[in-house]
Amino acid sequence: MKPIAVRYDSLAQHDAATLMTVARGLEVLRAFRSDRSALTNAELVRRTGLPKATISRLTSTLLHVGFLRLVPGKRGFELSTGALGIGHAYLATNDLLQAAQPLMQALADQLGVSVALGIQDGIDVLYVGYCVSRKVATLRLGVGSVLPMATTSIGRAYLWGLPLARRRALIDEHKRRAGAPHDVALEASLRASFAELESEGTCAVLGGYQRGTYGVALPIHVGRQGMLMSMSCGKADVDLDLPSERARIAPALKDTATRLQALLSKFEESL
């Protein structure tokens, strides 16, 4: 019986090592952002906290299997179609998101903006749904875009919708990464957005992701499990009056959010 026990132990150790490798490979893929900027091994080390030798081994493997590609003329990597295709195929066939699409598109066309649905992706927000007005030029984003949680309206709305303990933990992590003296200003700005959400039901942020852009957002809960998401309307506009835009957008956004929650309330699946 002893050889069998040793064999099982070896298999368990092999499985654990395999899972660790997969988890670290996913960490590397998640380090890439929606701006499609190329990342070197050194930059991936800084973003993931993984050892240099581990990053070198993982990028070599991910390059070989088609999840990363080398940027011509540079030393950096970017996501390849292998990685992008998996996420887009899943999101495109998700019944919950498919059902949400018509209401989101109607809102985008009504207001002349882009409309996004976001969920948590580590300390960031991932766009899992996105519609854009056919009439105007908007932000060059889309499904799969990753935006900072602490500085965008869609991120702050998500934060506000979290249970207090989870919200506090994420705020502390953002403050730690911002560092002094920026951490104090960041928390003050977050609290101002939370006060807006408390009193008005939405928050508005100017230039939270790119200069000359704005977003108005609120949290929603969807499906039978009440999964938290956030929903935003946004646009690129170099000459805007944020309070006026918020007053224009907020009623329609809140109405659509209410209808969307009702429509999706019986969905069992989540993201």
Side-chain angles (χ1 to χ4, degrees):
M1 297 297 291
K2 287 184 179 180
I4 296 176
V6 171
R7 182 183 175 188
Y8 284 164
D9 288 345
S10 298
L11 286 172
Q13 291 172 4
H14 179 268
D15 288 346
T18 300
L19 287 173
M20 177 66 74
T21 300
V22 171
R24 286 179 168 179
L26 291 173
E27 272 191 78
V28 170
L29 295 177
R30 289 175 63 182
F32 289 85
R33 295 293 182 259
S34 57
D35 58 11
R36 301 292 298 272
S37 296
L39 298 177
T40 63
N41 278 343
E43 289 166 329
L44 287 168
V45 167
R46 286 195 295 271
R47 288 197 178 187
T48 64
L50 295 173
K52 183 178 179 181
T54 301
I55 289 293
S56 295
R57 184 169 64 252
L58 288 171
T59 53
S60 177
T61 300
L62 292 168
L63 187 67
H64 178 71
V65 298
F67 279 17
L68 293 180
R69 64 184 174 201
L70 283 168
V71 179
K74 298 182 179 179
R75 297 176 58 190
F77 302 93
E78 65 181 9
L79 293 179
S80 187
T81 53
L84 295 170
I86 293 174
H88 281 276
Y90 170 72
L91 294 174
T93 57
N94 183 277
D95 289 341
L96 186 149
L97 296 175
Q98 291 273 317
Q101 198 81 0
L103 277 176
M104 293 173 61
Q105 187 64 59
L107 180 62
D109 290 336
Q110 175 188 346
L111 298 175
V113 296
S114 62
V115 177
L117 282 178
I119 60 172
Q120 182 179 354
D121 180 24
I123 65 166
D124 297 312
V125 170
L126 171 70
Y127 278 5
V128 294
Y130 188 83
C131 292
V132 59
S133 169
R134 300 177 179 90
K135 300 177 182 178
V136 298
T138 59
L139 298 172
R140 292 187 177 182
L141 299 172
V143 170
S145 295
V146 179
L147 274 67
M149 184 179 289
T151 60
T152 60
S153 63
I154 194 168
R156 291 179 178 183
Y158 187 92
L159 269 173
W160 187 70
L162 288 170
L164 188 58
R166 287 181 59 196
R167 183 199 306 170
R168 183 69 258 174
L170 275 169
I171 291 173
D172 288 344
E173 178 60 19
H174 282 290
K175 288 175 62 181
R176 185 188 70 79
R177 295 190 180 212
H182 307 293
D183 55 345
V184 176
L186 177 62
E187 178 151 19
S189 184
L190 284 168
R191 292 199 179 281
S193 289
F194 295 163
E196 288 181 28
L197 285 155
E198 185 72 39
S199 62
E200 305 293 336
T202 64
C203 67
V205 175
L206 178 64
Y209 179 64
Q210 295 174 357
R211 292 182 62 184
T213 66
Y214 71 88
V216 181
L218 46 65
I220 63 172
H221 292 85
V222 302
R224 289 187 183 275
Q225 300 174 21
M227 176 180 60
L228 175 64
M229 304 179 77
S230 48
M231 183 177 183
S232 72
C233 294
K235 189 167 71 170
D237 193 337
V238 295
D239 184 23
L240 65 89
D241 179 346
L242 186 59
S244 296
E245 280 296 281
R246 175 178 171 168
R248 180 180 75 91
I249 288 171
L253 173 59
K254 288 191 279 190
D255 176 67
T256 299
T258 299
R259 289 192 289 145
L260 194 60
Q261 289 180 128
L263 175 68
L264 303 179
S265 62
K266 296 183 180 180
F267 275 78
E268 294 285 356
E269 70 173 307
S270 59
L271 300 176

